[in-house]
Every structure is written in C-alpha cells, then in structure tokens.
Amino acid sequence: MTRKRLGFFTRLLDDVTPKERYRLATEQIQHAERHGFDSAWIAQHHFHEHEGGLPSPLLFLAHVAAHTRNIRLGTAIITLPMENPLRVAEDAAVLDLLANGRLEVGFGSGGTPTSFLPFGLTFEARSAVFAEHLHVIQSAWGGDSLTHPDNHLYPPAPQLNQRVWIATFSVEGAIRAAQAGHGLMLSRTQPRPADRLDLTLEEIQNPIVDAYLNALPAGVAPRILASRTAFVADSDDYALTVATPGLTKQAQQHRAAGHQVTGDSVKDYRRQFDAHIGAPETVLASLQADSVLARATDISFQVHSVEPSHPDTLRSIELIAAHIAPHIL
C-alpha cells in the first residue's frame, strides 16, 4: 500500500503583527520539513485578520520556497472567484519554477460573503465565476492560445494541470472534481444540518469520498487531502489548558452566528469542532477512529482553532512526526 503523505497547514493566525505572522509561519514550515513532513499548505483570506492572515498566497510561497528545499508547497485554498485567472496562472507558473516543481494548487469558491463585494462580485455568483476562472487557468496551463494566436502562457506550465485540488463541502462538488481528474480537499470540520447536529465528521465526509471515487475516470489515481485540527502536547492537561481560550472563542462565534453549541467545557467543544487535542496517545486514538483518514492519500494537520503559541506549535509538529505519523500513514 502506498504511504500517505503528511502535511502541515497554517492559516497564519498567530496573535502578532502581520510581518511576524509571516516569519513565524515560515519557521513552522521549515520545522515541519526538518521533521519529515511531505507538504505545507497555506490559506488565502482577504480583509478579515481573524479568519486568516494572508491575501497573497503565491507571493508568500515564493518566499517559503527560497527557505526550504524539499517540502511541497500548496494553497488550501486560493479563493478563485476573487482573482484574475490569467494572473494566477502566470504567478503559479513562475512559482513552480522557483520552487523546483514543488507547487500544489488548491482552489475553492470562498466562504465569507462580505469579502466578495470589493471585487465587484456577489456571494451568490461565486460558483459560476469559479468554474469560468478555473477553465481559463487550465486552458492557459494547457498551452491554448489566449484570445489571439500569438498569446500563450509564458513560462509554460502544463505540469500544473496535474496538481489541481478542489475544496468542497458537497457530493456534487466532489463529483465535478473527480470527473476533471482533480484532487479532493476535505475540511477539518463542516457545519452540521440543523436537524442532525449529532452527525460525526466522518458521516458527513465519507459520502463525499464515495462520490469522488465513483466518479473518477478509469486510470486516474485518487488524490484525497483530509485536513484535521490536531494539537499535540506532552500531556492531556497541558493540551486542554492551551486549547481552552481558542475553542471557547470559536464556540462564542458559532453561537453569535446562530449555530447551536452544546456544553460549556473544552472537552465539549473539542468533540463538536472535530478537534484532536491531547498527548500523543490521546490524539492517535482519536485520529484512528476517523475512517476518512484511512481513505485519504494525504493528511494535513493544523492547530486552528486552538491557536497555541509558536513554541507550542513547533512542539506539536515534533510530536505528530514522532508519535502520530508512523501509525496513520
């Protein structure tokens, strides 16, 4: 059986200045590389610093590429409706050269309604614009002429069409990704239907995986990236203490948005927000109960929404590499 690939994911949310966020994220990715992680993934967010600290993911990854050697570098995700697709195609082509072919490109349609407005878009139009922009990017990477016979992407980047990943919450999105031969990106958590708050994450995501695998064309190898919140510390007590402020804040935000959250302890929140928190043996047991991970080809771990300190994040990376990865990859 092919070994799963291990990833580190960051939304660049450290509680510091923007410049320091970028420095710390770079150090965390370097630390992950030193400890044998196969990939590093970053998210794009516009305007809202508490959702994510990075509007320009390809620019940041060019910086990271210069400070790493082997770890693959991925976007999870670029919010494609808000981008000029030809500029994304060009920037990704240049970055892949600078990174010696290490770029993985994840796309999504975006989830914060107000962020679309400054780009002249509405939240409701995002799916149609996403499909149009993705077509333009793939056409450019494929070497098609661009409006005029003399116009072709330079530098050429046909290889990037084999490294597209699509983020989706739905069966329909998974089918579209599979039919196009793209990779499937699964979130660390998903909203539960109002009438089924008891659903587990695997009960929500396994049907998405089923649909993806069933729709893949013959001969196309599946690529399934499952992201999970995992904060590992040297003891359960310390991990839960560190996790309490971040998960309590997440619970407050969910309630303010009209979502139901039951209980008032970090252990209650850990279960409802699909967070794997504790000492290595605790987190390993929790992850091994997640049947989606057994079906994934790639697993990426993030500390959000625990929001630990930088040293605690580095320690979590070390413990995952030493005590978690050997048992789940």
Side-chain angles (χ1 to χ4, degrees):
M1 181 177 178
T2 303
R3 173 187 175 274
K4 300 179 190 299
R5 292 176 290 268
L6 175 66
F8 169 73
F9 176 78
T10 177
R11 286 165 54 199
L12 290 87
L13 285 172
D14 294 272
D15 189 18
V16 291
T17 65
K19 181 178 180 179
E20 187 70 354
R21 279 186 173 185
Y22 301 154
R23 186 185 71 81
L24 295 181
T26 302
E27 286 190 6
Q28 290 161 13
I29 292 171
Q30 290 174 308
H31 200 63
E33 181 176 58
R34 285 192 294 269
H35 286 272
F37 280 64
D38 301 289
S39 62
W41 301 83
I42 58 168
Q44 178 185 44
H45 288 88
H46 293 284
F47 312 127
H48 304 104
E49 66 176 289
H50 299 299
E51 291 186 8
L54 184 66
S56 305
L58 296 176
L59 179 61
F60 176 72
L61 286 182
H63 167 76
V64 174
H67 290 82
T68 56
R69 297 188 64 182
N70 301 309
I71 195 167
R72 301 197 67 75
L73 305 173
T75 58
I77 55 168
I78 293 173
T79 49
L80 193 52
M82 303 178 194
E83 300 293 324
N84 180 309
L86 284 178
R87 291 294 297 118
V88 171
E90 290 176 326
D91 287 350
V94 172
L95 172 54
D96 196 47
L97 287 178
L98 296 175
N100 292 319
R102 290 186 281 144
L103 180 61
E104 303 284 338
V105 193
F107 293 123
S109 57
T112 305
T114 58
S115 293
F116 290 81
L117 302 178
F119 293 94
L121 300 170
T122 64
F123 187 67
E124 292 72 23
R126 71 191 187 283
S127 294
V129 177
F130 174 86
E132 177 185 347
H133 286 189
L134 181 59
H135 173 76
V136 170
I137 288 172
Q138 292 203 267
S139 178
W141 285 342
D144 295 344
S145 60
L146 304 171
T147 306
H148 187 280
D150 291 344
N151 294 336
H152 295 273
L153 188 73
Y154 184 85
Q159 72 282 0
L160 290 178
N161 271 330
Q162 308 306 313
R163 300 192 224 139
V164 173
W165 301 76
I166 304 297
T168 184
F169 278 177
S170 71
V171 164
E172 295 76 16
I175 291 172
R176 288 192 294 270
Q179 289 173 340
H182 301 322
L184 172 68
M185 305 183 85
L186 300 172
S187 177
R188 66 187 177 92
T189 189
Q190 285 190 221
R192 272 53 169 181
D195 59 343
R196 289 300 311 276
L197 295 175
D198 60 320
L199 283 176
T200 64
L201 185 60
E202 61 181 339
E203 288 174 321
I204 295 173
Q205 290 188 341
N206 268 321
I208 297 174
V209 175
D210 290 338
Y212 174 79
L213 293 174
N214 289 336
L216 270 181
V220 176
R223 289 180 291 131
I224 302 170
L225 171 62
S227 180
R228 292 295 185 263
T229 293
F231 174 60
V232 188
D234 290 292
S235 72
D236 284 343
D237 287 345
Y238 183 78
L240 291 171
T241 298
V242 171
T244 296
L247 292 188
T248 300
K249 181 179 178 181
Q250 186 177 11
Q252 293 169 344
Q253 292 171 340
H254 271 61
R255 286 175 174 137
H259 302 300
Q260 182 176 338
V261 180
T262 59
D264 57 5
S265 74
V266 68
K267 291 184 178 180
D268 295 324
Y269 304 150
R270 176 175 62 178
R271 174 181 53 81
Q272 292 173 81
F273 298 142
D274 306 301
H276 305 269
I277 298 168
E281 59 273 16
T282 301
V283 173
L284 179 59
S286 171
L287 291 169
Q288 288 177 327
D290 184 345
S291 61
V292 173
L293 299 186
R295 309 177 74 188
T297 60
D298 299 72
I299 304 172
S300 69
F301 291 114
Q302 57 181 298
V303 294
H304 321 296
S305 294
V306 173
E307 316 308 350
S309 68
H310 179 59
D312 284 334
T313 298
L314 297 182
R315 181 60 177 156
S316 183
I317 288 170
E318 294 168 5
L319 292 171
I320 287 172
H323 300 289
I324 306 296
H327 302 284
I328 64 171
L329 300 185

